[in-house]
Amino acid sequence: MGTVRQTYTVLAERDGTWWAIQVAELPGVFSQARGLRNIEPMARDAISLLLDVGPNSFDLTIKEVLDPDAERAVADAIHARAEALEGQRVAANKSREAAQTLARLGLPQRDIGRLLDLSHQRVAQLLSSSASGASQGSGPVGT
């Protein structure tokens, strides 16, 4: 059985134009970074210097600390994107079902496209993906 790597929690809070970094499990370990992408290497350097270990000998969990309004705005944006993706998936499935129904009635792909406000090429994709079993969720997303 392998050894368990230590994991440290890095808290990063905006302070002016910098991110102030502290390590929850190691009081007194502080650093700073200009951007989010620099938090991990700066935290690794600070921890490895304090503990005299290699910078890749431990794991990090980075938590950005934001004020409540910013935290809520970020959460709302992520939630809205997830809902939009689900809406796209539903729209693609409904478009595929409609295209299949119209094709069974004998309508040409160009007419199906015009009725569904899609290009005839997209209609061909929808019909071919439904024939290959992609209606179960694989294949391109879109309407």
Side-chain angles (χ1 to χ4, degrees):
M1 200 158 119
T3 58
V4 177
R5 287 170 53 105
Q6 177 68 42
T7 300
Y8 296 101
T9 304
V10 177
L11 303 173
E13 187 169 0
R14 195 72 177 165
D15 185 16
T17 59
W18 293 84
W19 287 92
I21 301 168
Q22 59 182 323
V23 181
E25 296 83 2
L26 301 171
V29 174
F30 299 100
S31 189
Q32 59 185 3
R34 283 264 187 208
L36 288 173
R37 67 185 173 93
N38 301 108
I39 291 171
E40 182 175 343
M42 296 302 290
R44 284 190 181 281
D45 284 349
I47 294 168
S48 65
L49 285 171
L50 176 76
L51 301 179
D52 196 27
V53 296
N56 294 314
S57 64
F58 50 85
D59 293 321
L60 297 178
T61 299
I62 298 173
K63 295 184 178 180
E64 298 86 2
V65 179
L66 302 172
D67 70 59
D69 289 340
E71 187 75 35
R72 194 169 21 265
V74 169
D76 288 350
I78 291 169
H79 180 72
R81 282 199 315 270
E83 284 183 334
L85 286 172
E86 176 61 16
Q88 288 176 334
R89 187 190 65 75
V90 169
N93 286 337
K94 294 292 185 183
S95 295
R96 187 175 295 109
E97 291 170 11
Q100 291 169 339
T101 299
L102 295 170
R104 280 193 299 272
L105 294 174
L107 275 72
Q109 289 181 4
R110 287 188 185 274
D111 289 353
I112 295 170
R114 184 165 179 135
L115 289 168
L116 295 177
D117 195 25
L118 299 172
S119 69
H120 68 278
Q121 295 94 335
R122 181 63 182 134
V123 170
Q125 289 175 334
L126 291 170
L127 293 174
S128 83
S129 68
S130 64
S132 66
S135 63
Q136 304 307 322
S138 61
V141 173
T143 54

